[in-house]
Amino acid sequence: MMGNCMFLRKGEVHTPPSTGKEVIVAITAANISDYFTVTNGTYYFAGSGSVFTSNNSGKSSSTASTVLTAKQDISVLAFNYSYSSEAKYDKFTLKVGGTTVEDGVSGATTNKTYNGSLAKGQTVEFTYSKDSSQNDNDDKCTFSDMHITILVSKGAA
């Protein structure tokens, strides 16, 4: 019996067909727990559609925290985030995969975008800590329009 013969050009490498395909998923309050284990503090980033907002506005000496732990490798993680708080006192911190992206930032409304990746088991941590005095600017932090690119089995959604 003859075996299959495959001709490759010089330098060409045979790669078997992939058993998966990459898809982009928009993260919302309704599906976030499908892709992340969500751990919330007493106060946290509450979701409505694709926007998650700190819910400790006006609550002195409080901290809103939400930690998202990836349930699988995420080749692309992208989201918008903003903070609008009492300058120097009410602070937003963002950590992704153990790296501090924003370290206690505060002040007038600031909108930014994050792009990176996340391995299974790594976390995204959102924290908004308030002191005991004033509530300036919008007194909130948000993350929104989160999109992830993940590998799914062929034939899956």
Side-chain angles (χ1 to χ4, degrees):
M1 188 169 170
M2 302 264 311
N4 289 337
C5 186
M6 187 171 22
F7 293 96
L8 298 174
R9 286 188 282 268
K10 185 176 181 181
E12 195 173 62
V13 177
H14 174 68
T15 53
S18 171
T19 58
K21 63 179 177 178
E22 283 199 322
V23 296
I24 298 172
V25 178
I27 299 299
T28 64
N31 73 0
I32 192 166
S33 60
D34 294 343
Y35 304 97
F36 297 95
T37 300
V38 180
T39 307
N40 287 323
T42 303
Y43 295 103
Y44 55 92
F45 287 74
S48 176
S50 65
V51 179
F52 295 78
T53 305
S54 56
N55 66 0
N56 62 334
S57 178
K59 311 284 187 199
S60 65
S61 301
S62 66
T63 298
S65 69
T66 293
V67 177
L68 307 177
T69 305
K71 290 186 174 183
Q72 67 187 91
D73 289 346
I74 298 172
S75 59
V76 178
L77 169 68
F79 57 88
N80 299 323
Y81 64 94
S82 68
Y83 52 89
S84 180
S85 66
E86 181 187 8
K88 299 180 186 165
Y89 297 101
D90 296 345
K91 299 179 178 182
F92 173 70
T93 300
L94 170 63
K95 293 181 182 177
V96 181
T99 300
T100 301
V101 177
E102 298 288 357
D103 189 6
V105 293
S106 63
T109 303
T110 303
N111 296 296
K112 294 187 173 184
T113 300
Y114 178 84
N115 283 290
S117 61
L118 206 61
K120 179 180 179 178
Q122 286 189 310
T123 60
V124 183
E125 301 175 42
F126 300 93
T127 308
Y128 179 45
S129 296
K130 296 171 49 56
D131 73 347
S132 60
S133 65
Q134 305 170 50
N135 305 313
D136 286 345
N137 293 310
D138 292 339
D139 192 29
K140 69 179 181 182
C141 302
T142 66
F143 68 93
S144 61
D145 300 318
M146 182 178 282
H147 289 77
I148 60 172
T149 302
I150 55 173
L151 194 63
V152 296
S153 298
K154 281 198 172 156

